[in-house]
């Protein structure tokens, strides 16, 4: 029973991570946070590789989120570029 609980929890985490990555790439709202089940007991040895893969995927997605936030911050902090409708005055005699 412990094995099926762990397998199900990892499947749910994997699905959530796929949805997170898709929301980053598409600019859509993020899915609900993954809340791990409680009282799973020790992870079965055969599921450890999958758990490690998901942990690595989690780190990759965290990096993508940080990168997206930095890009957004740069856009928000950048001075507005002059539009074609605004006159531009030069301080120099031509």
């Amino acid at each position: 029973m412990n094995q099926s609980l762990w397998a199900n929890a990892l499947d749910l985490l994997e699905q959530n991570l796929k949805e997170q990555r898709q929301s980053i790439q598409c600019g859509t709202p993020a899915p609900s946070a993954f809340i791990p089940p409680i009282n799973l007991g020790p992870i079965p040895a055969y599921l450890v590789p999958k758990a490690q893969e998901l942990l690595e995927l989690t780190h990759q997605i965290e990096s993508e989120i940080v990168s997206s936030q930095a890009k957004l911050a740069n856009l928000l902090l950048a001075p507005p570029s002059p539009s074609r409708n605004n006159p531009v005055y030069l301080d120099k005699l031509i």
Side-chain angles (χ1 to χ4, degrees):
M1 182 163 180
N2 183 29
Q3 294 177 2
S4 64
L5 291 175
W6 265 104
N8 187 46
L10 293 177
D11 288 345
L12 291 172
L13 175 59
E14 185 174 27
Q15 181 61 37
N16 185 271
L17 292 173
K18 287 178 182 178
E19 292 171 6
Q20 288 282 353
R21 178 165 271 162
Q22 184 177 4
S23 77
I24 294 167
Q25 293 170 346
C26 298
T28 56
S32 300
F34 174 75
I35 300 172
I38 57 173
N39 299 325
L40 291 176
I43 187 168
Y46 79 95
L47 289 174
V48 170
K50 181 174 182 174
Q52 289 172 330
E53 288 175 20
L54 294 175
L55 179 61
E56 178 59 33
L57 181 57
T58 299
H59 293 310
Q60 291 172 8
I61 292 172
E62 287 173 356
S63 294
E64 291 172 20
I65 291 170
V66 169
S67 177
S68 294
Q69 288 174 331
K71 288 177 187 175
L72 181 58
N74 286 335
L75 287 173
L76 292 173
L77 295 174
S81 59
S83 71
R84 293 179 172 233
N85 297 332
N86 293 339
V88 176
Y89 298 98
L90 300 176
D91 241 359
K92 199 172 189 182
L93 185 60
I94 301 177

